[in-house]
Each structure stands twice: as structure tokens, then as C-alpha cells.
């Protein structure tokens, strides 16, 4: 059910997960959010290396308008802090990305990665246990062999549902630089991982080797001019992937062309507007996220101030550009001083590619309706967290007289940033991560 | 949200960011440091251009004043018919070189430098980088005093004004002696109107001074390797590129510390 209009659609609060404390523990900072392919499961990763998976319950009969709640399904520690003794560097346990594998059997699989190591996790349910062992007591102690006089077959008896997460593969030691992306191929057998300078291709079954498919490291590091910022496989062409750079370019590569895809098949780049040139031009043109549309015809990129939609058939400019928070252009110097200019915002498509969404500051997030040419700014806050409370559109006053309900640029809280958002693949449910809380919103069901 | 968008403060802010990144958890973030080095480069370019423009303005003012004085003092010469043209050029040369002479030959070669070195101590003084001279220049941040200074030819510019040995002309410099023998760094007649060329030539000579002090003199300073990754420079037609490349070459150890992988 995807009416898909961010404009006349109304969004309501559904749930919020996380501590209410204003004092945010660093480990609780959410670093990635991802729905699985059916939308039934929602995974978050945090700075403390933990993964929390929420599951959508079966419809609540008492409140049919409350579509379905997401409740904690599984929590596990994916990565631990490590130490690279050779370089005397600590490796953060922060989860940079989570990507779900398409479901093949009863179990669910996801890839989670920190700066250096990717892990494949199996999440499986157990609702039965074996009872009636011959050699063991109920509590697990071994029986006295002399007391065993007969043989029986253990039976499976129901038990309380237990969700287990176990690491099935560990893909380590393949990245010298910090991993920023993982992407599962549509062939369901391979995936790519990208760091600042290299992209590797893995087989999900094989952990002791990977193929390097992109390497932009210069012979002399002093000649470095750009780094890889994000990478993704095409949703249905298993030979195609893209990677974005800190220079604001996107390269599309075809793995059939050569083993090492340093030479791109397509280069997407928009010439810079010279009137916008400033000290910070290079920073704000750096792309922080790239996402293919579900239909595979478009891709979306996010840089500091805007979201751009590119037609894969047109390299010289995007087909659509949406300003996320243009009012920040005059504040770039302050944002540089407080490091906010380095924030990496992500972006996402809705299920039918008609609306795109991205985050901003002051816990605002923005939706751009491509069909109806409308955009809206909404806020994720505890104040608007009554069940099914409709979110009121917010407006930032950029100058002149501030109207009622508008907020001025100088009042924005730059510590409250929404970097990670996700849209349910089949429904109008969105997950929006503030610093340490996860908000779930849904569209207002009429009738 | 007040912020000083001037180049010098951006340079110091950027240097501090690079310094702080070394102690951040998780190791040096290559992407962030690359972006900071871009800001550093941009700020440095603006700063140098501003300085050069300022110096050029000061030079022009001095030149105008000195020409006025010279015109008043000039005695009519007895030109030979065939030398008439040369004399005109000579007068032109005289007027153009006048600032270097500084009224009477008193340390003529230092007057130009003096105007440049009239910067307040402690502020980066960077007079030549804008015109393509081959100077080694590095902007450094002293962690003890938090002062940003420019290291030129590995001398701290703060104390070079009085003791700069480079200020004396190198004996084998291609100085053309002519009537009047200004005895200083006179430019070729063909380039008589080109100040930058004359400065460039002098500067080039003094930049090959072999007696540079050891970098241990500036052991507390972090060098920001010119303007960061030298690949950035290839984008620019700016003449500063030449300075920075040499600065880069001299700062291998520091650079390697930053690109720690």
C-alpha cells in the first residue's frame, strides 16, 4: 500500500526505542539502521558494537490502526574493540553498516561491519528443545552409567521462543583503511566491501580471500586527492556497482569489463557552480551516501547540503536536485569549527521510488516527493510521541521576520542530528535514528 | 554563530584538527584529514594572495614616492646622440629600480626585504610565494605557544628580518652593471617594468642557501606539509605549487606521520 506521497500524506508517531535520558552514553549512539527485504525485521547497530533487531508483530487486534509494533527480537554483541599492534591503533567496535541477506530458509542472515572486519551473522529461532536424553539429567549433569537400564529416543518439546545469533563467517584482514560500505550482490553469492581507497569482492562462503576490484590508492600517498565514500551493487545487474568519491563524483563499474575496475564505465559528475565557491567547497561536495532506486534506473547521492537523483543513462548532471538545508550555506565556517560539516548523512528511497528521505539537524528529517514535487520537514522528538500523533510539518526561518511555529537557523540544535533513516520496502513505515533513539513513524491510515 | 572567516584563523583551526586527529580513537581518519587539507590549501591560497596584494600596494606606494623624489633630484644628463634611446631606458630602469635603491645606496638590497619584513613578529610573512619563486615555505603551528608562523628556507621568519643572510646579494648573480652602477639587484632592461621578475631572480638565488638549520630547531612544531597532499596542487595553476612541492619534499617525516597507514 504505497500511495507514496510525502506531500499530502500525513505521518504519525508509532514508537520510540531507546533511553529517555538526555545524557547519552556514547556506546548507545546509533550508527546504522536497516530494514530486511520483507520489512518484518529492523536492525540497528550502535557505537558500542551491538546489533539490536526488532521484529514486526502480527497485527494488534485491539488497535487495528496501529499497523504493527516493532519489538525487540534479538540483541547481540557483533564487534568488540580491537587493537592493531603493528600500527598501535585501536580499532573501534562501532558498527558502520548492516546489510540483510535475502532469506533462503528459516534463519535470517545479515552482514555487519566495523572499520576493519565484516561478520556474517545467522539469526535463528528455537522454540523446541530435546528432552529425554539417555546419558544426561535434566540439568545437564551426566548420569551414573550404572543407573542406565533402558534406551529411549529423545523427543522435541515446545519451549519459549529463543532467538539465537551466531557468527557464521568472519571476513577479516582485507582492509587497510576504514570500511565505509558493504553491499550484497543480487546473485546472493557475493558481496562487496569498500574502504577509503579499495573495494573488495567476497564470496559469502569464503573468508580467507577476497578479490580487489577497485584500487584508487596512488603510488605516492602525498598525491592523494580523493577517497571512496560509499559503494553499492546494482539491485538486479549482478555485474554492476557504483562507488562515490569525496570529490562529488560517482563511478559506475562493470565487472565484466576487467578484473580490476579502476577504469569506470560511467562517470557521473555535475560541474560546480563557480558562484558558490568557498573555502569549504570540497567538503560540501563530498558524497556521503549513494543508493540505487529499487527499479535500478536511478541512483541517489547525498552531499552535505543536497540530495541528487541521477538517471543512470545520463552522466553529465543529475535529473533532480533537492536542497536539504540550504540555509546552512552561510554557516559553513561555524559548522567547520564544530566539525558538523563532516557529518555523513544517509538517504533512502521508498518502496516504489516516488519519495526520498534524508536527515538534517535539530532532529529534523526531510522527505521529497518526486512525483508531486513537494517536500516536507518533520521532527523526531519525544514531545510529539503520543500514540498516532500526527507530525506537524516544520519550517526553518531563513531570515526576516520569524513566523509563529518557525524556528530560526540560529536556534537549531546541531548536536541533534539525524544521520540514519530507513524506509520499509513495502509499506509506509519509516525508521529514523536520532542520536540514541530510534523513532518509528507510519502514515496515517484513513478509514 | 559568529565565526572568523579569515584565512589565517582557518589555517590554525585546520592545523589543530589535524593534530587532534592523531589522538582520536580508531586511528587517523583519512577522509576527514583529506578534506581538512583542502580547506588548508584554500585558506593558504587566499592568505598568500592577500599578503602579496598588500605588499604590492606598499611597493607601489613607495615607488611612487621615490619616483617623485628622484624627479626632483634628477640632473639633466649630456646624452650622446646614439645613446639617447639607451638613456631613456636607463632612466626608466632607474625609476623602476628606485625602490631597491632606497635613496642613496644605503643597504639598497635590503629595502625591499625590509618592507616585507615589516610584518609584526609572529605573523606569517610570505612575500614571494605568489610570484612563482622557488622558496621553501611551510606554515607551522607551535604547540607550546600556539603561534602560527611561516618557516622559510627552514628559518623561522619571526627572527629572520634582522639576521637574514639572504638579504645580501649573491656575488655571482646575473646583475647587469650599467651607468650609475646601482650595485644591487637591478633587472634586465627588457624586464624593467616587471618587478616580479627581478624579485624572482633574487629570491631564487637566495633560496639555494645551503646552510639551513636542522629541523630539530623546530622540533616542537608540526608542519602541515605545505598545503597537504601535493596532488591537490596539480589542480591549481597557482605558483605557490612550486613552493609547496619543495616544502613537501623536505617534510617527509612529518607527512608520513600524518599518512600513518
Amino acid at each position: 500500500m504505497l500511495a507514496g506521497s510525502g506531500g499530502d500524506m500525513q505521518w504519525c508517531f508509532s514508537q520510540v526505542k531507546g533511553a529517555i535520558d538526555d545524557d547519552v552514553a556514547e556506546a548507545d549512539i546509533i550508527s546504522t539502521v536497516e530494514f530486511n527485504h520483507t520489512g518484518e525485521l529492523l536492525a540497528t547497530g550502535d557505537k558500542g558494537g551491538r546489533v539490536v533487531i526488532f521484529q514486526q508483530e502480527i497485527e494488534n487486534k485491539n488497535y487495528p490502526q496501529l499497523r504493527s509494533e516493532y519489538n525487540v527480537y534479538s540483541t547481540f554483541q557483533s564487534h568488540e574493540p580491537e587493537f592493531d599492534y603493528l600500527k598501535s591503533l585501536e580499532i573501534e567496535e562501532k558498527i558502520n553498516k548492516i546489510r540483510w541477506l535475502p532469506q533462503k530458509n528459516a534463519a535470517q542472515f545479515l552482514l555487519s561491519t566495523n572499520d576493519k572486519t565484516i561478520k556474517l551473522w545467522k539469526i535463528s529461532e528455537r522454540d523446541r528443545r530435546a528432552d529425554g536424553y539417555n546419558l544426561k539429567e535434566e540439568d545437564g549433569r551426566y548420569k551414573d552409567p550404572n543407573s542406565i537400564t533402558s534406551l529411549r529416543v529423545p523427543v522435541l518439546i515446545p519451549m519459549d521462543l529463543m532467538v539465537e545469533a551466531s557468527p557464521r563467517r568472519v571476513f577479516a584482514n582485507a582492509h587497510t583503511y576504514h570500511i565505509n560500505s558493504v553491499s550484497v550482490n543480487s546473485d546472493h553469492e557475493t558481496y562487496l566491501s569498500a574502504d577509503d581507497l579499495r573495494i573488495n569482492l567476497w564470496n559469502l562462503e569464503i573468508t580467507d580471500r577476497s578479490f580487489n576490484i577497485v584500487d584508487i590508492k596512488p603510488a605516492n600517498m602525498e598525491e592523494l586527492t580523493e577517497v571512496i565514500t560509499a559503494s553499492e551493487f546494482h539491485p538486479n545487474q549482478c555485474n554492476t556497482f557504483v562507488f562515490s568519491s569525496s570529490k562529488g563524483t560517482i563511478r559506475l563499474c562493470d565487472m565484466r569489463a576487467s578484473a580490476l575496475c579502476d577504469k569506470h564505465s560511467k562517470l557521473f559528475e555535475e560541474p560546480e557552480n563557480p558562484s558558490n565557491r568557498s573555502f569549504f567547497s570540497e567538503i560540501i561536495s563530498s558524497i556521503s551516501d549513494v543508493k540505487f532506486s529499487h527499479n535500478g534506473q536511478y541512483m541517489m547521492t547525498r552531499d552535505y547540503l543536497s540530495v541528487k537523483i541521477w538517471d543512470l543513462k545520463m552522466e553529465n548532471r543529475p535529473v533532480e536536485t533537492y536542497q536539504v538545508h540550504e540555509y546552512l550555506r552561510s554557516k559553513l565556517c561555524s559548522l567547520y569549527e564544530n566539525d558538523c560539516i563532516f557529518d555523513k548523512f544517509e538517504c533512502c528511497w521508498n518502496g516504489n521510488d516516488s519519495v526520498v528521505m534524508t536527515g538534517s539537524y535539530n532532529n529534523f528529517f526531510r522527505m521529497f516527493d518526486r512525483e508531486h514535487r513537494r517536500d516536507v520537514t518533520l521532527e523526531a522528538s519525544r514531545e510529539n510521541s503520543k500514540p498516532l500523533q500526527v507530525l506537524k510539518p516544520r519550517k526553518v526561518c531563513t531570515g526576516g521576520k520569524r513566523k509563529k511555529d518557525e524556528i530560526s537557523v540560529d536556534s537549531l540544535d546541531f548536536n541533534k542530528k539525524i544521520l540514519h533513516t530507513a524506509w520499509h520496502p513495502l509499506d509506509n513505515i519509516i525508521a529514523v535514528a536520532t542520536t540514541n533513539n530510534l523513532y518509528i513513524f507510519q502514515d496515517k491510515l484513513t478509514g | 554563530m559568529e565565526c572568523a572567516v579569515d584565512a589565517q584563523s582557518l589555517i590554525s583551526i585546520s592545523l589543530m584538527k589535524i593534530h587532534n586527529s592523531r589522538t582520536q580513537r580508531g586511528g587517523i581518519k583519512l577522509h576527514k584529514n583529506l578534506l581538512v587539507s583542502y580547506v588548508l590549501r584554500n585558506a593558504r591560497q587566499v592568505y598568500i594572495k592577500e599578503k602579496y596584494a598588500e605588499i604590492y600596494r606598499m611597493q607601489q606606494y613607495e615607488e611612487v614616492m621615490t619616483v617623485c623624489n628622484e624627479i626632483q633630484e634628477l640632473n639633466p644628463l649630456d646624452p650622446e646622440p646614439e645613446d639617447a634611446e639607451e638613456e631613456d631606458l636607463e632612466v626608466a630602469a632607474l625609476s623602476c629600480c628606485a625602490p631597491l635603491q632606497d635613496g642613496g645606496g644605503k643597504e639598497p638590497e635590503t629595502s625591499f626585504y625590509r618592507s616585507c619584513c615589516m610584518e609584526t613578529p609572529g605573523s606569517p610573512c610570505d612575500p614571494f610565494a605568489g610570484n612563482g619563486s622557488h622558496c621553501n615555505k611551510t606554515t607551522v603551528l607551535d604547540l607550546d605557544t600556539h603561534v602560527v608562523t611561516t618557516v622559510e628556507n627552514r628559518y623561522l621568519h619571526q627572527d629572520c628580518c634582522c639576521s637574514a643572510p639572504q638579504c645580501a646579494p649573491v656575488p655571482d648573480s646575473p646583475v647587469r652593471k650599467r651607468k650609475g652602477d646601482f650595485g644591487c639587484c637591478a633587472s634586465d632592461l627588457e624586464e624593467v617594468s616587471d618587478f616580479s621578475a627581478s624579485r624572482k631572480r633574487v629570491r631564487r638565488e637566495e633560496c639555494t642557501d645551503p646552510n639551513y638549520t636542522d629541523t630539530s630547531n623546530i622540533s616542537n612544531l608540526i608542519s602541515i606539509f605545505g598545503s597537504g597532499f601535493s596532488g591537490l596542487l596539480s589542480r591549481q595553476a597557482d605558483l605557490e605549487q612550486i613552493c609547496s612541492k619543495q616544502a613537501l619534499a623536505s617534510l617527509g617525516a612529518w607527512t608520513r606521520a600524518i599518512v600513518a597507514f
Side-chain angles (χ1 to χ4, degrees), chain A residues 15 17 35 39-40 54-56 68-71 424 440:
Chain A
Q15 295 171 275
K17 309 283 186 191
F35 279 101
E40 183 204 354
F54 302 92
Q55 184 191 41
Q56 197 177 25
S68 293
E69 284 207 332
Y70 281 85
N71 295 316
H424 191 292
I440 299 172

Side-chain angles (χ1 to χ4, degrees), chain A residues 269-280:
Chain A
E269 187 174 16
E270 183 178 31
E272 190 198 349
N273 181 354
S275 64
N276 279 338
R277 180 98 199 125
S278 76
F279 288 114
F280 312 104

Side-chain angles (χ1 to χ4, degrees), chain B residues 12 14 21 54 73 83 87 89 110 114 152 156 160 196-197 206 243:
Chain B
S12 7
S14 302
S21 76
E54 196 184 306
E73 292 170 20
D83 284 332
E87 186 218 351
L89 290 167
T110 60
R114 192 179 301 137
E152 202 157 29
L156 281 174
C160 87
S196 53
E206 56 135 51
C243 301

Side-chain angles (χ1 to χ4, degrees), chain A residues 93 222 225 279 333 336 339, chain B residues 3 14 17 25 32 38 230:
Chain A
E93 66 276 28
E222 291 175 4
T225 59
F279 288 114
C333 186
Y336 178 70
D339 271 1
Chain B
C3 170
S14 302
K17 283 190 195 294
R25 218 179 146 229
K32 184 179 177 186
Y38 272 112
S230 65

Side-chain angles (χ1 to χ4, degrees), chain A residues 53 57 174 205 245 292 302 309 340 349 363 445:
Chain A
I53 301 175
E57 299 290 344
E205 300 294 330
S245 85
F292 277 105
R302 176 70 155 97
I309 312 282
C340 282
W349 298 84
N363 282 348
L445 292 172

Side-chain angles (χ1 to χ4, degrees), chain A residues 90 93 177-178 221-222 224-225 227 229 246 277 279 282-283 286 331 333-334 336-337 339 342 344, chain B residues 1 3 10 13-14 17 25-28 30-32 34 36 38-39 41-43 229-231 255 261:
Chain A
E90 198 182 352
E93 66 276 28
Y177 302 94
H178 293 132
M221 274 299 275
E222 291 175 4
L224 183 73
T225 59
V227 296
T229 53
S246 55
R277 180 98 199 125
F279 288 114
E282 286 84 4
I283 301 187
S286 176
K331 308 283 179 193
C333 186
S334 311
Y336 178 70
E337 279 189 82
D339 271 1
F342 300 106
K344 293 187 184 161
Chain B
M1 273 212 278
C3 170
L10 271 183
I13 292 169
S14 302
K17 283 190 195 294
R25 218 179 146 229
I28 295 171
L30 189 63
H31 184 199
K32 184 179 177 186
L34 181 66
V36 170
Y38 272 112
V39 175
R41 179 201 66 170
N42 295 339
F229 304 94
S230 65
T255 322
F261 299 113

Side-chain angles (χ1 to χ4, degrees), chain A residues 32-228:
Chain A
T32 185
V33 180
E34 186 83 355
F35 279 101
N36 76 337
H37 295 272
T38 61
E40 183 204 354
L41 297 175
L42 176 61
T44 63
D46 64 25
K47 233 180 164 192
R50 290 166 304 201
V51 171
V52 180
I53 301 175
F54 302 92
Q55 184 191 41
Q56 197 177 25
E57 299 290 344
I58 344 163
E59 227 164 85
N60 191 329
K61 293 190 178 61
N62 293 333
Y63 298 99
Q65 65 271 39
L66 201 74
R67 210 187 249 86
S68 293
E69 284 207 332
Y70 281 85
N71 295 316
V72 176
Y73 179 65
S74 173
T75 305
F76 56 93
Q77 186 76 31
S78 171
H79 287 72
E80 299 273 5
E82 282 172 60
F83 200 78
D84 181 337
Y85 295 98
L86 197 60
K87 294 175 189 156
S88 293
L89 291 175
E90 198 182 352
I91 300 167
E92 277 191 283
E93 66 276 28
K94 173 167 76 84
I95 308 296
N96 293 334
K97 281 287 172 346
I98 289 173
R99 289 288 182 261
W100 290 93
L101 266 58
Q103 192 173 10
K104 278 192 211 171
N105 50 38
Q108 300 278 357
F109 289 86
L110 61 80
L111 288 169
S112 72
T113 185
N114 69 349
D115 283 339
K116 297 287 182 180
T117 305
I118 308 127
K119 292 187 185 180
L120 177 69
W121 287 89
K122 177 181 178 183
I123 296 105
S124 48
E125 292 183 1
R126 189 193 291 226
D127 61 358
R128 264 173 256 262
R129 65 180 176 88
D131 186 56
Y133 285 102
N134 287 288
L135 301 174
K136 278 198 266 189
E137 302 279 11
E138 284 287 326
D139 56 9
R141 280 182 305 136
Y142 280 96
K143 286 181 182 169
D144 174 15
N146 298 322
S147 68
I148 301 168
T149 52
S150 61
L151 196 65
R152 58 180 176 166
V153 178
V155 290
L156 292 173
I157 57 168
M159 61 178 255
D160 288 337
L161 179 67
M162 195 167 71
V163 180
E164 297 175 316
S166 60
R168 303 302 285 178
R169 305 271 188 277
V170 177
F171 305 91
N173 303 318
H175 286 281
T176 312
Y177 302 94
H178 293 132
I179 297 174
N180 52 57
S181 311
V182 281
S183 177
V184 184
N185 202 344
S186 50
D187 65 8
H188 302 168
E189 287 181 7
T190 56
Y191 75 94
L192 64 76
S193 59
D195 67 27
D196 291 320
L197 297 177
R198 296 192 179 102
I199 301 179
N200 293 333
L201 180 71
W202 301 83
N203 184 302
L204 284 162
E205 300 294 330
I206 299 167
T207 59
D208 62 355
R209 79 199 85 143
S210 67
F211 290 102
N212 175 245
I213 53 176
V214 173
D215 188 340
I216 64 166
K217 184 180 179 190
N220 183 358
M221 274 299 275
E222 291 175 4
E223 290 163 20
L224 183 73
T225 59
E226 66 180 329
V227 296
I228 297 167

Side-chain angles (χ1 to χ4, degrees), chain B residues 10 13 26 31-32 48-49 51 56 72 81 91 119 122 142 148 181 184 186 205 210 212 233 236 243 248 254 258:
Chain B
L10 271 183
I13 292 169
H31 184 199
K32 184 179 177 186
I48 283 165
K49 279 183 182 131
K51 278 288 163 212
Y56 187 66
Q72 286 167 0
V91 168
E119 303 298 323
D142 186 329
V148 179
D181 192 2
C184 70
E205 269 125 31
Y212 70 90
L233 309 173
Q236 298 294 318
C243 301
L248 269 169
W254 298 109
I258 288 171

